[in-house]
Amino acid sequence: MPPLILHRVLGSPPARAVMMLSELLKLQVQFNDVKLLQGEHKTPEFKKLNPMGTVPVLQDGDFVLSDSHAIMKYLVSVYGGDKRESLYPSDVRTRALLDQAMFFNAGVFFKAFTNVTRDTFLGVVSEPTPQHIEEIESSFEVVDAYVRERPYIATDRLTIADLAAGSTAATMKVFHKPDPDRFPHCVDWVSRLEEEHVFKTIMTPGVVYFTKVMNALWKRNKENKE
Ligand SMILES: N[C@@H](CCC(=O)N[C@@H](CS)C(=O)NCC(=O)O)C(=O)O
């Protein structure tokens, strides 16, 4: 069987969510580091794989799939083995709650994240703006509500929805940390996730790397403004 190939960027929260799942499932994955800063994701070759020009992208033989949420659902469905039921419960309502959290992550939470990275890459800002912070805080409010009644974002155990939204949350700290007085459940949930082995080995180093990249870009943008 040809190996799975994951086109990724270490700084990318969605790519790290897929990497954490691959590790939990002990999958053999070959990584291709896409040079985002050089625009490799916008080349015709890359767009043949993913017309959206985003990472991550998975290749499983001749099957190609983009969007981290779709990739995680696919990987756990095909290769989940005895971890499938726990990471991606089949109960219809539980699965619907996973979808709720993942659609929120894709459409709102990660959007609040990319609003900062987009403006940073464009050279427009040298730190998150009050508008960025406001968007981030309204996402923290939603997360706080989701995890108020349960220890994880969709049910009483870790699922792929926690890998998705948790990856955004753990990286969002680089821009703005949730205030424990206003968002105590959100803060507890992130701390709980950060105790997981895959967060320690994959998420934390990725966040360190991402912090360096953002600080360098903010410094450059500040100098260009002066
Ligand atoms: N919903 C997508 C978002 C993917 C995404 O936007 N990835 C970023 C990196 S973190 C990217 O490739 N950005 C490049 C661009 O938008 O030009 C997913 O979950 O995979």
Side-chain angles (χ1 to χ4, degrees), residues 12-14 36 41-42 53-56 67-69 106 110 113-114:
S12 158
L36 223 63
H41 58 308
K42 299 297 177 200
T54 57
V55 291
D67 187 278
S68 58
H69 310 85
F110 186 65
F113 178 90
T114 52

Side-chain angles (χ1 to χ4, degrees), residues 69-143:
H69 310 85
I71 294 171
M72 286 198 287
K73 284 167 128 203
Y74 170 77
L75 286 177
V76 78
S77 299
V78 179
Y79 303 109
D82 60 4
K83 298 219 170 80
R84 183 181 306 122
E85 188 56 32
S86 151
L87 287 167
Y88 190 40
S90 56
D91 172 75
V92 172
R93 289 192 175 184
T94 310
R95 196 169 274 197
L97 291 175
L98 261 75
D99 281 338
Q100 172 179 266
M102 290 196 284
F103 284 120
F104 157 73
N105 185 56
V108 180
F109 199 19
F110 186 65
K111 176 79 170 55
F113 178 90
T114 52
N115 285 346
V116 185
T117 52
R118 179 204 57 213
D119 291 348
T120 301
F121 281 104
L122 288 174
V124 179
V125 297
S126 46
E127 61 183 354
T129 64
Q131 165 81 26
H132 291 143
I133 306 284
E134 208 179 299
E135 288 159 359
I136 293 169
E137 294 212 325
S138 54
S139 290
F140 286 154
E141 201 177 319
V142 176
V143 174

Side-chain angles (χ1 to χ4, degrees), residues 30 35 38-39 59 154 187:
Q30 196 176 301
K35 296 179 188 68
Q38 282 96 308
Q59 277 183 274
V187 171

